[in-house]
Amino acid sequence: MKKVVFSAAALMCGTLMFAQSNVSDVNQNGNSNDAQIVQSGGGNDSEVISTGNRNAATVTQSGTIHNSIVEQRGDDNASTVTSIGRNNNSKVGQVDERNTSVVLQQGGNNNSSRVSQGQISSNGTVSRTGRDNTSDISQDGNSNKSVVEQWDSNTLVGEFNRSAVSQLGDRNDSKVRQTGDNNTSAVSQDGNDNISDILQDGDQNQSTGSQIGNENNSSVSQSGSLHTSTVAQDGDSNTANLVQSNGIDSNSEVNQTGFRNHTNTNQNGDNHESTITQTGDRNGAGVSQYGSYNQSNTVQTGNDNGSLVAQARTGNDSEVSQDGDDNSSNVRQNGGNYNSSDVDQNGSDHVSVVNQNGTENISIVSQKLNRNNSDVQQVGSRNESNVDQNGNDNTGIVNQLGNDNKATMSSEGNRFKNDITNYGVWRTPGASGTMMAKGITQTGDNNIGTITQVGYIGVTSGSGSAGIGQLGNSNKATITQTNLLAHAWSGSNAAFVDQIGDMNESVQNQTGRAGTSYFRQAGNNNYGESQQASQSRATLEQEGNRNSSIQIQGAENMQKSDTYQLGDDNIATSEQSGGITNHSKILQEGDWNTAEVNQLGATNTSDVSQMGDLNISDVMQNGNSNISTVGQTGMSNMSTVNQLGDMNTSTVTQN
């Protein structure tokens, strides 16, 4: 019995000694200060210092080896500290008036919290569950508010989270919520009325936010693991919204300097990279990334610029650079993988649209000076487009549908309208084909260039090449090439237009298999038109004034037409509407010359050469293997040749 009593006494003595190991130190200097300290457990240390009037401090420590320091200097400050667990550390410092701090550390170990507030009516709150979490809040100014929450949303336990908040100025608001493990957050706000909201739901996420100025707003939401975000805003009324959801290891960076700039970033998936840099006022940028390994870099310098980038699937790359005012860029890479887009706009009021739906497409857009408009549509694989517009009020349109199409468009001047359309090849098994448009280079005013190439089902190979070069005023060139092959033929279209002068117009239309048409016009008021089908060839060169030429070749094979005009008011017309292997050649040099050749049949040959003034020649061949040769030199000559039948020969020479 005595042994039992002795053991009980010893236990009570030990318990008393353990309970007495708690230390509390209260120093109050002023009037109406209130301190409430409750410590249960062992090894707890609490210190409360109040200098001023009507300060209130409540410290509750339950567990072991807690350390709490509350220092309040001023009037009407209030602090509440609650620690439950083991080895938690809390330090609160409040200066001046009406500051409020709440620190709640529940059910965890080795947590550390520091709240430092200065001036008037600031509020700092720390709430956590778990272990080894760290929080540091520093507020210098008036009416600032900071809330830090660290826990796991499911287990109410979070570990190794780190949060640091620094606010300098008035009425700044910061909220950090970390649910998970090993998350890191840093917030710095310098100015007035700034708002920062960070949510980290996952593991090993990192977020850094810096705002300098007034009325800036930053919102970051991270779910998943290993995401990194950086937001830096310098100026007033800037807004940044950033969401990283699901997946792992995505990185987003936002840098804004100026007034009322806005960004919206959404990353969903793995290993995305996004960077937005805006310098100026009222700029807006949006980036949406789904899938994996997409990259986007947007740089805007100036005012009122807008950029949108949408990426889905894998490995797409977008580069957007806008320097000036009121520029707009829209890039969509939603329907395939490994597409690349580069948009560079320098000046004002430019509009660029790039839509890539396929795989390994490349688009390059460069627009300089003012009010240029570009629209690039790529549907298919391995298409390439290069649009370069340097001037004012130019329009460039590229449509590529199919595979392996190439388009190059260059304009230097004002009010160009460029249009390139590629309909690659819809391939059957074992077939191949490429429709390639390469060209449109324009320098001058009011020029319009249009290229359209089409290739269809059932070919074994097909290709097209088109180039339009215009230097002058009011020029217009249109090339249309169609390769409609339904059997094992090779198709190779080629059309080239080179115009130098005023009010020139060239229209080329090739349909069928291999066709080649070449135009070169230099002078004034020139007009040339060529229509071809089935491996025909047409060549036209005009240099002079008010020249006009029309070449028409029908659906049969191997037609050849060559026209060369040098002089004034010349008109040459060559029509090969039927038969095969007809050849027409017209050479005119002089004034007011007119030549017309009409061939209907096969293997007919016509050669008209006129050098002089007021010459007229008219050749009609209806039959086969007819030969006509006309040579006129001098003034006021006239020749008419009609051949009806086969193997007729005619030679006219007039001097």
Side-chain angles (χ1 to χ4, degrees):
M1 186 67 177
K2 291 182 179 179
K3 292 181 179 180
V4 174
V5 173
F6 177 78
S7 299
L11 181 61
M12 292 177 62
C13 182
T15 302
L16 181 62
M17 292 177 63
F18 190 75
Q20 290 177 347
S21 67
N22 297 312
V23 177
S24 178
D25 189 359
V26 178
N27 295 301
Q28 296 175 318
N29 186 1
N31 302 313
S32 302
N33 296 302
D34 182 35
Q36 302 289 333
I37 301 175
V38 179
Q39 298 186 132
S40 60
N44 299 307
D45 190 349
S46 174
E47 182 178 0
V48 176
I49 301 174
S50 295
T51 301
N53 304 311
R54 299 176 299 279
N55 296 306
T58 301
V59 177
T60 302
Q61 297 187 140
S62 178
T64 58
I65 320 179
H66 299 307
N67 188 1
S68 175
I69 299 175
V70 177
E71 183 173 353
Q72 301 181 133
R73 300 182 182 275
D75 300 331
D76 300 293
N77 298 299
S79 177
T80 300
V81 177
T82 301
S83 293
I84 302 174
R86 179 182 176 86
N87 200 32
N88 295 312
N89 185 15
S90 175
K91 184 176 181 180
V92 177
Q94 299 185 144
V95 181
D96 287 334
E97 301 177 358
R98 300 188 297 277
N99 297 301
T100 302
S101 73
V102 178
V103 178
L104 300 176
Q105 301 182 137
Q106 306 180 62
N109 304 322
N110 304 314
N111 296 304
S112 178
S113 176
R114 184 176 69 176
V115 179
S116 178
Q117 301 182 142
Q119 299 189 20
I120 301 173
S121 300
S122 292
N123 188 334
T125 300
V126 178
S127 177
R128 60 163 60 101
T129 301
R131 66 186 181 93
D132 296 293
N133 298 302
T134 301
S135 176
D136 190 344
I137 299 175
S138 177
Q139 300 185 141
D140 187 359
N142 303 316
S143 302
N144 295 303
K145 181 180 179 181
S146 177
V147 177
V148 176
E149 298 176 343
Q150 297 170 315
W151 65 68
D152 190 285
S153 58
N154 296 318
T155 64
L156 298 180
V157 177
E159 299 177 349
F160 303 102
N161 295 302
R162 303 287 184 270
S163 176
V165 178
S166 175
Q167 298 188 142
L168 179 64
D170 301 332
R171 300 177 301 279
N172 296 301
D173 190 340
S174 172
K175 183 177 181 180
V176 177
R177 183 176 181 181
Q178 297 172 314
T179 62
D181 302 328
N182 292 291
N183 297 299
T184 302
S185 172
V187 176
S188 176
Q189 299 190 137
D190 187 353
N192 303 321
D193 301 292
N194 297 299
I195 298 174
S196 175
D197 192 347
I198 296 176
L199 171 62
Q200 296 175 311
D201 186 3
D203 302 328
Q204 302 183 62
N205 297 301
Q206 298 182 28
S207 178
T208 302
S210 174
Q211 299 188 139
I212 301 175
N214 305 314
E215 297 182 343
N216 297 299
N217 193 323
S218 173
S219 176
V220 176
S221 176
Q222 297 175 313
S223 62
S225 301
L226 298 170
H227 298 311
T228 302
S229 76
T230 301
V231 176
Q233 300 188 136
D234 188 350
D236 299 333
S237 302
N238 299 298
T239 302
N241 296 315
L242 197 157
V243 177
Q244 296 172 312
S245 57
N246 304 318
I248 62 171
D249 203 23
S250 290
N251 181 50
S252 177
E253 182 176 348
V254 175
N255 296 283
Q256 297 190 131
T257 302
F259 174 71
R260 286 189 178 177
N261 297 300
H262 176 78
T263 67
N264 193 348
T265 304
N266 188 354
Q267 296 177 315
N268 188 315
D270 303 331
N271 301 100
H272 298 303
E273 294 282 341
S274 173
T275 301
I276 298 175
T277 302
Q278 299 188 140
T279 303
D281 301 332
R282 299 176 301 278
N283 298 299
V287 176
S288 177
Q289 296 175 316
Y290 289 82
S292 60
Y293 294 98
N294 295 302
Q295 298 185 35
S296 174
N297 183 27
T298 301
V299 179
Q300 298 188 137
T301 303
N303 305 318
D304 302 294
N305 298 299
S307 173
L308 293 175
V309 177
Q311 298 173 314
R313 299 191 180 182
T314 303
N316 296 299
D317 188 3
S318 171
E319 296 283 339
V320 176
S321 177
Q322 299 188 137
D323 189 353
D325 301 330
D326 296 290
N327 297 301
S328 175
S329 174
N330 191 331
V331 178
R332 295 186 178 275
Q333 300 169 318
N334 291 328
N337 305 319
Y338 305 106
N339 297 295
S340 176
S341 173
D342 190 342
V343 177
D344 187 358
Q345 299 189 133
N346 192 325
S348 300
D349 298 290
H350 299 304
V351 177
S352 172
V353 176
V354 177
N355 186 4
Q356 296 175 313
N357 191 342
T359 302
E360 298 181 1
N361 297 299
I362 299 174
S363 173
I364 299 174
V365 176
S366 176
Q367 300 189 137
K368 298 178 181 178
L369 295 184
N370 305 307
R371 298 180 302 278
N372 295 304
N373 192 327
S374 174
D375 189 340
V376 178
Q377 303 289 326
Q378 295 176 315
V379 180
S381 301
R382 299 176 302 278
N383 298 301
E384 297 182 15
S385 173
N386 191 336
V387 177
D388 186 359
Q389 299 189 133
N390 187 359
N392 302 313
D393 303 292
N394 298 302
T395 300
I397 300 174
V398 177
N399 292 300
Q400 294 175 315
L401 179 61
N403 304 322
D404 303 300
N405 298 300
K406 295 182 179 181
T408 301
M409 182 184 297
S410 178
S411 299
E412 184 172 352
N414 305 315
R415 295 180 295 277
F416 293 141
K417 183 178 179 182
N418 307 315
D419 192 343
I420 295 178
T421 301
N422 298 124
Y423 294 97
V425 175
W426 284 264
R427 302 177 181 176
T428 58
S432 63
T434 299
M435 295 301 293
M436 179 181 70
K438 186 177 182 179
I440 302 185
T441 299
Q442 299 177 321
T443 302
D445 300 324
N446 301 315
N447 294 304
I448 298 175
T450 301
I451 298 176
T452 302
Q453 296 179 314
V454 181
Y456 286 110
I457 294 175
V459 305
T460 57
S461 65
S463 62
S465 178
I468 299 176
Q470 297 177 324
L471 175 63
N473 302 313
S474 304
N475 294 308
K476 178 182 178 181
T478 301
I479 299 176
T480 302
Q481 297 178 313
T482 303
N483 195 359
L484 300 173
L485 299 181
H487 45 77
W489 282 81
S490 297
S492 180
N493 296 311
F496 306 93
V497 177
D498 183 9
Q499 295 179 319
I500 302 175
D502 301 317
M503 295 179 287
N504 293 307
E505 181 175 350
S506 174
V507 178
Q508 296 176 329
N509 185 2
Q510 296 176 319
T511 300
R513 307 186 191 101
T516 301
S517 180
Y518 168 84
F519 276 65
R520 176 178 176 83
Q521 296 177 320
N524 302 313
N525 303 316
N526 294 307
Y527 167 82
E529 180 173 341
S530 176
Q531 300 182 22
Q532 298 189 110
S534 300
Q535 303 195 31
S536 296
R537 189 202 73 187
T539 302
L540 171 66
E541 293 188 12
Q542 293 179 322
E543 183 174 349
N545 302 313
R546 295 173 295 279
N547 295 305
S548 179
S549 178
I550 300 177
Q551 295 171 308
I552 299 176
Q553 296 171 313
E556 302 298 329
N557 295 328
M558 304 300 296
Q559 311 284 3
K560 297 172 63 177
S561 177
D562 297 303
T563 300
Y564 307 91
Q565 293 181 323
L566 176 64
D568 301 318
D569 296 304
N570 295 306
I571 298 175
T573 300
S574 176
E575 182 174 355
Q576 299 165 319
S577 58
I580 60 173
T581 61
N582 292 303
H583 184 199
S584 171
K585 181 179 179 182
I586 299 174
L587 173 61
Q588 294 179 319
E589 182 176 352
D591 301 316
W592 298 284
N593 294 306
T594 300
E596 181 174 350
V597 177
N598 192 331
Q599 294 175 316
L600 181 63
T603 62
N604 294 299
T605 301
S606 174
D607 189 344
V608 177
S609 176
Q610 296 178 321
M611 303 180 65
D613 301 318
L614 305 176
N615 295 308
I616 298 175
S617 179
D618 189 352
V619 178
M620 173 66 181
Q621 294 175 316
N622 189 348
N624 304 312
S625 303
N626 296 299
I627 298 175
S628 173
T629 302
V630 177
Q632 296 188 137
T633 303
M635 299 181 61
S636 303
N637 295 307
M638 179 182 293
S639 173
T640 300
V641 177
N642 291 309
Q643 293 177 318
L644 180 62
D646 301 330
M647 295 183 290
N648 297 299
T649 301
S650 173
T651 301
V652 178
T653 302
Q654 298 186 128
N655 296 316

